[in-house]
Each structure stands twice: as structure tokens, then as C-alpha cells.
Amino acid sequence: MLTHWRAFLRRADAAYIILALVLLALGAALRLYDLTDQPIDFHPTRQLRGAIVARGIYYQFLPGADETTRQQAAAFWASTGQYEPSILEGLMALTYLAIGREFFWVGRIYNTLFWLMGGFAVLALARRVVAAQPSGDTQDRTMAVAWLCALAALAYNMALPFGVQASRSLQPDPGMAAWLALSALALYRWSETRSWRWVLIGGVVSGMAVLTKAIAVYSAAGMMIALALYSFRKPEQPVSGAAARMLVSPQLWALAALTLLPTAIYYLSRQGRAAEYFTSWTLALSHLLLEPRFYLSWLNMIQKLLNPLALLMAFVGLLLARRRNQALLWGWWAGYVVYGLFLPYQMTTHNYYHLQLVPLTALSMTPAFEAGLRFLLRQKMIWRWAASGGVLAVVIWMSWQALVPLYRENYRNEPVYWQTIASYLPGDGKIVALTQDYGYRLMYYGWRKVTLWPNRGEIKLSDLRGSSKEFEQYFAKRIQDKSYFLITAFKQFEDQPELKQMLYEHYSILAQGQGYLIFDLTQKKP
């Protein structure tokens, strides 16, 4: 491996390496900007959940921790549910132990490092697929084109606003996307060499992607199957012949085992949680697949996240790609589509479920970059400079758009705000609450746990699953054994007129202030 790296450095032009390092540094700077602001900037429910889990792990292993605090942190951790291994949260907790304090923002640093790792894979793979193709150019010209295409793909992967905002958040998706990018590189190299070394590397990185978040299995399998079909198929023979050879290939079985076994072992120990997830999110919502507007909403979501022009260039790139690269890209896209069909609700409501498309789109655009660059090389120098200026302007514009939300929003007052609300909550009875982010803000900042009243999104989801409930019966059941009703999500409160009418007409207000309202459920109005 060291010999290959030295050869790479000898062949590569120093200017291209410097540009690549600058882009990687830009990607890191964008993600670490406003590092210590609270994790409310992007899907706060998911980020706060990660912070709560990391805190629970931290207090579990913290020597000399107060036993009451330790048990409370563990109870909060257990209440969040666990659908994937706590890899990022575990790294955060270990860092807390090492530095002696709880700093949630170390998770942003870890996910930034993961994304840089994935960016290196995008750079290396994009450069390789262009340099490996015969073009009739000189070696120097071929390598120059390969480097420039790879740098363009890296720039998109590093500076896309959605990619910046999503990949710095405290959740497993940035790590999953990065491992998938490494998986694409390793599987491509395996298809070139058919060596056991790349079987091992490809299996390990694919296994890490799936272990980080199980939904990566669709994309990893798509790439693996497509490249295997390409590699095992002989000229002028049907696909069935390649499939038969795949079934008896020890390398392919080893790849599959390394990819699936760690995650299979983990979920087999979860006592049915995987089956529960499949039932709730796939079977109960499968009727969405029959609605045309679902597909329109899905497409609308990804074109907003990825940029319509980039999506068009990715499609053109898929058509222009050479066969091995085409197999990889189509396999990854096919895996993503299948994954979307298994989780139809999330495809139109949770934008971070599309994060893997950032490196995939960057790689898919590479053949289009190559075609455009070869065209420019036949033009006058002024057009080349104009194109270079245009690319630089796009990178600057994307970087600025990525920073604007971070610059405009300030969440540093969140801890004090929620600690203040927690201080007003009575301690002599249980509380049901209509509050933000599944009560995680109150839990993380105020160290108080409440029973949740569903927000409008949960009510809509319940209706989609065909399990809507009659209000008065549901209200009576929900407040059973509860003494107080806390309101902090006032927009949600306004969107539930039945709840608002019930509380104001039948229960008195115990306390109210800026951002909170507490009803006394112990005595109904006459």
C-alpha cells in the first residue's frame, strides 16, 4: 500500500494536490463554522437524540458520578429508543471521558472527519475512472483531465449547502454516506483486480456503512451486484451466465458475509426491533407507493437538495459513463431507489435520508465534467479562463449559501431557556406535554422527562397508517394519571383546535410565561 501511495505522489502534479487539500480544508471549515452553537440548526430532534445518548454513555462510565444523575441520564438514553449502533455517540462519550467534560460539538468534529474521509474516496475514484479510460490523448493530458474532473467532483461534495448542513449534524448519516463512498472506491478496485485484498477492504468498509445505519445495505448491495455482473459476464453471453458464476464465487460470498454479518449479529440481539421497524415504516405505509404524488414529492425533494442542474448533469453522466463506471453508478442509484421504496414516508419528509446522494451525484457528474472539459480544451484560452472563473464563482456561491443559515441563526440561549422552563414545572405529579422535538430539548437542557402529546406530524402519520383515534377517548386515555399539561409548542397548539378547546374550557391555568403554559389536570372546571 505504501509503495502505491509513493507512486501516486510521484505521478501527481503538486498543484493538483494543493488544490485538493484546499477543497478538503474548505469542506472542513464550512462544517466547523459556528462549532459550539447548540445542535438545533438541522433536524434538532435527531441531533438532540444523539446528544442524549452520548450523555447516557458518558455517565455510565464516568468514575465518581452522582448515582442519581447517572440513573437519570441512563433513563433518558433508554427512552430515545435505539435503531442502530451508537457509534458516533460512543465516540463522543469516549472523548467526554478523555477531556473530562461534556461538549456535544465533538460530534460535529467526528462527522466532519468522516465526511473528509468520504471526500477523499470521491476524489480518488473520480480521478481513477477518468484516467483509466483510453482517450487518445497524451499521458499528461489524460492525467490533467482526470485531476480536474476529480477536483470538480470533490468541490461539489465539499461545498453543496445541503451536504454541509447535513454532514455536520449529530446523527449517523454522515458516517454512513462516507463509508458508502469508500465502499464504492473499494468495490470498483475489486472489480478491476479481483484480488482478495480488495475483497477484504471492500467487505470491511461496506460492513461499516451498513453497521452505521442499516439502510445502507440497499446501496452497498446495489453496487456489489452491478459490479459483479459486469465483472463475471463474458462477451456475447447472457446475464444468466454471469449470475451463475456469481453464485459460486468465494470472493462474492466473502464480500457479502463481511458486509452483512456485523449488522445481522447486532440486530438479532435487538429482540424484534428490526421487524417492528419494518412493520411500522414499510408495511403500514406501502400504500403511498400507489400514489403518483409520492414520486413527484420525492423528485422535488432531491432536486431542491442537490440542485436541478447538478441532477441533470448526473443523469447525462450516467449515460456517458464507461461500462465499469456505469455499472457502479447505476448499481448505487438502483440501491438508493429500492431503499426509498421501502421507506416511502421518509423520502418526502426527512431530507437527511438523501445524504448519500451527495457523493453519488458528485461521482455521477464526473463523465459530464470530462466531456465538457475535453470540449473546452479544444477552445481558445479565453474560454478556458472564463470556465475556470465560472467554476470558482459556483464554489464560492455554494460555500456562502452553506454558511448563511449558520450565520443568521443563533441558538446559544436554548440551554438557559429550557432550564428556566424546567424550573417552573411542578414536581408533585406527572406531566403530559405538547413540546418541541419529542421533549428532547426539555430532556437535554432541563433534565426533565414528560409524556408526549402527539404533534401534527404524528397525527398525520397515524392517519396514513389508518390508525386515527376519536379525540375525547384518546385525550382521556393520554392524561390518565397525569397532573399537569405543559404547552411549549404554540404553533402546534394552534393547529389542534380540539385540544385547545378542551384545555381552556375544562382546566385552569396553573402557570404561564414566555414560551410556556401549564394547565392543572387534577381538577376540572365546574
Side-chain angles (χ1 to χ4, degrees):
M1 185 69 74
L2 185 60
T3 303
H4 288 295
W5 178 244
R6 287 172 178 167
F8 169 78
L9 289 177
R10 284 197 300 269
R11 291 195 303 267
D13 188 280
Y16 294 130
I17 295 177
I18 292 171
L19 283 173
L21 292 175
V22 167
L23 288 173
L24 290 169
L26 172 65
L30 292 174
R31 286 159 177 82
L32 298 179
Y33 176 80
D34 204 21
L35 175 67
T36 59
D37 202 0
Q38 297 300 312
I40 312 294
D41 56 320
F42 182 87
H43 287 275
T45 301
R46 202 63 173 88
Q47 293 203 74
L48 289 168
R49 178 197 174 277
I52 290 167
V53 171
R55 173 185 283 172
I57 299 172
Y58 169 57
Y59 275 100
Q60 184 178 11
F61 294 102
L62 180 63
D66 175 71
E67 192 59 33
T68 300
T69 304
R70 190 197 307 274
Q71 291 177 6
Q72 193 174 16
F76 290 167
W77 170 21
S79 72
T80 64
Q82 190 169 1
Y83 294 105
E84 61 265 333
S86 300
I87 296 174
L88 174 65
E89 295 87 347
L91 289 172
M92 292 168 63
L94 286 174
T95 306
Y96 296 168
L97 290 168
I99 61 182
R101 283 190 64 184
E102 182 185 351
F103 291 114
F104 71 87
W105 43 261
V106 301
R108 286 179 175 153
I109 296 176
Y110 279 118
N111 269 346
T112 296
L113 293 174
F114 281 132
W115 199 261
L116 295 180
M117 179 179 70
F120 173 80
V122 168
L123 176 75
L125 182 54
R127 177 182 173 276
R128 186 168 193 86
V129 297
V130 175
Q133 306 302 330
S135 62
D137 286 336
T138 63
Q139 179 69 13
D140 288 345
R141 174 68 66 88
T142 298
M143 293 307 301
V145 170
W147 266 109
L148 291 171
C149 290
L151 290 170
L154 178 63
Y156 178 84
N157 193 66
M158 289 291 109
L160 181 72
F162 163 64
V164 171
Q165 292 151 15
S167 63
R168 73 194 296 269
S169 63
L170 306 183
Q171 53 183 326
D173 299 75
M176 179 200 74
W179 287 115
L180 279 175
L182 284 168
S183 176
L185 173 62
L187 292 173
Y188 187 89
R189 293 291 288 123
W190 167 74
S191 74
E192 287 182 321
T193 64
R194 302 279 286 279
S195 71
W196 278 98
R197 182 181 68 173
W198 286 107
V199 168
L200 178 62
I201 297 173
V204 168
V205 295
S206 298
M208 280 302 304
V210 178
L211 186 63
T212 301
K213 198 162 184 176
I215 56 177
V217 70
Y218 300 103
S219 298
M223 289 187 283
M224 203 174 297
I225 292 170
L227 282 172
L229 283 171
Y230 170 82
S231 301
F232 285 96
R233 186 178 181 183
K234 295 180 179 179
E236 310 301 328
Q237 285 193 352
V239 175
S240 58
R245 283 186 287 275
M246 288 166 55
L247 290 175
V248 296
S249 168
Q251 289 192 347
L252 204 56
W253 281 106
L255 270 173
L258 288 169
T259 299
L260 298 176
L261 276 179
T263 306
I265 293 170
Y266 173 79
Y267 282 101
L268 286 173
S269 68
R270 301 305 298 167
Q271 299 180 350
R273 291 304 296 272
E276 176 189 335
Y277 193 87
F278 177 77
T279 301
S280 300
W281 293 107
T282 301
L283 294 182
L285 298 167
S286 59
H287 62 89
L288 294 175
L289 302 180
L290 303 177
E291 300 177 8
R293 67 178 179 177
F294 158 68
Y295 300 97
L296 292 175
S297 298
W298 186 355
L299 181 61
N300 184 53
M301 170 77 83
I302 63 173
Q303 65 90 17
K304 284 182 178 179
L305 299 176
L306 303 175
N307 183 285
L309 180 58
L311 204 57
L312 177 62
M313 289 181 65
F315 177 71
V316 172
L318 285 170
L319 299 179
L320 295 177
R322 279 80 169 198
R323 289 183 61 203
R324 191 190 306 275
N325 190 26
Q326 201 172 53
L328 172 72
L329 296 174
W330 279 111
W332 193 346
W333 277 103
Y336 161 77
V337 170
V338 172
Y339 135 67
L341 296 177
F342 272 87
L343 296 169
Y345 180 74
Q346 285 87 341
M347 289 301 101
T348 58
T349 58
H350 293 58
N351 59 9
Y352 60 86
Y353 270 66
H354 306 277
L355 184 57
Q356 62 172 291
L357 289 186
V358 178
L360 175 53
T361 302
L363 291 169
S364 298
M365 287 193 292
T366 301
F369 290 147
E370 181 185 359
L373 188 56
R374 292 194 184 280
F375 173 78
L376 276 173
L377 290 174
R378 297 193 297 268
Q379 309 306 312
K380 294 181 179 179
M381 183 63 69
I382 188 172
W383 295 110
R384 301 181 198 176
W385 281 109
S388 300
V391 170
L392 179 61
V394 168
V395 173
I396 293 173
W397 179 82
M398 287 197 303
S399 300
W400 174 248
Q401 290 299 309
L403 290 179
V404 165
L406 303 176
Y407 173 77
R408 285 180 178 171
E409 302 293 341
N410 186 343
Y411 300 100
R412 297 182 190 278
N413 291 328
E414 289 287 319
V416 173
Y417 176 77
W418 289 98
Q419 288 161 13
T420 301
I421 290 179
S423 70
Y424 292 126
L425 294 179
D428 60 347
K430 295 181 179 179
I431 301 169
V432 61
L434 179 59
T435 187
Q436 289 85 343
D437 307 316
Y438 298 104
Y440 289 163
R441 296 195 200 198
L442 193 59
M443 191 184 300
Y444 184 64
Y445 298 118
W447 286 81
R448 291 296 298 270
K449 187 178 184 303
V450 295
T451 300
L452 297 175
W453 180 269
N455 60 33
R456 61 176 176 266
E458 291 177 284
I459 293 172
K460 179 182 177 182
L461 182 58
S462 180
D463 292 340
L464 286 173
R465 287 171 171 159
S467 55
S468 56
K469 304 173 181 66
E470 195 276 327
F471 176 77
E472 291 190 7
Q473 293 180 0
Y474 181 75
F475 179 83
K477 182 179 180 181
R478 201 72 172 180
I479 68 168
Q480 188 175 5
D481 299 328
K482 308 300 186 299
S483 300
Y484 307 100
F485 202 121
L486 169 67
I487 307 292
T488 63
F490 286 95
K491 289 184 179 180
Q492 296 279 353
F493 193 41
E494 293 296 327
D495 285 344
Q496 299 191 40
E498 288 182 304
L499 174 64
K500 185 177 181 181
Q501 181 179 355
M502 174 69 76
L503 290 173
Y504 274 112
E505 289 186 359
H506 299 284
Y507 301 95
S508 61
I509 295 174
L510 178 70
Q512 65 183 106
Q514 184 178 4
Y516 73 94
L517 178 62
I518 305 174
F519 289 90
D520 187 347
L521 301 177
T522 58
Q523 293 183 350
K524 295 187 70 172
K525 289 181 179 180

